[in-house]
């Protein structure tokens, strides 16, 4: 009986080790593939914001500021880009 238990225990250790190694290899490969995909994907570019209109009416400025706010909320514009565009709209 002790020989049988030893054999079962050895099998369990070998199987557990093999599973752990297999899982680690799979995670490492998935990480490498994700890095390759990220490097190959073209960077997302924000659409150019509309320049302020020549008339510069208050309604136009408000509409443009709302659009900028939506783009910022969606993550299309960074805080710096948002502030630059807002400054251009308000100064125009």
């Amino acid at each position: 009986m002790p020989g049988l238990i030893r054999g079962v225990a050895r099998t369990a250790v070998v199987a557990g080790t093999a599973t752990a190694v297999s899982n680690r290899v799979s995670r490492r490969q998935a990480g490498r593939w994700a890095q390759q995909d990220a490097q190959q994907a073209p960077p997302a570019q924000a659409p150019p914001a509309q320049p302020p209109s020549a008339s510069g009416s208050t309604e136009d400025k408000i509409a443009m500021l709302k659009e900028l706010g939506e783009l910022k909320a969606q993550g299309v514009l960074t805080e710096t880009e948002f502030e630059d565009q807002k400054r251009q709209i308000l100064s125009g």
Side-chain angles (χ1 to χ4, degrees):
M1 193 69 136
L4 180 63
I5 293 174
R6 187 179 307 143
V8 170
R10 183 179 301 142
T11 302
V13 168
V14 170
T17 303
T19 301
V21 170
S22 174
N23 289 340
R24 183 172 182 215
V25 169
S26 294
R27 283 193 302 271
R28 189 180 322 158
Q29 285 178 339
R32 286 181 184 167
W33 291 337
Q35 284 178 344
Q36 287 176 352
D37 289 344
Q39 290 173 353
Q40 292 175 356
Q45 295 181 350
Q50 299 175 354
S53 62
S55 65
S57 74
T58 304
E59 293 170 0
D60 290 341
K61 288 182 180 181
I62 291 173
M64 292 174 74
L65 288 172
K66 285 182 181 179
E67 184 179 340
L68 276 177
E70 290 172 6
L71 290 173
K72 181 183 172 213
Q74 293 172 358
V76 176
L77 294 176
T78 64
E79 182 69 31
T80 305
E81 293 170 332
F82 173 77
E83 291 297 327
D84 290 342
Q85 293 297 322
K86 183 175 79 171
R87 192 174 308 112
Q88 286 180 357
I89 291 171
L90 294 175
S91 68

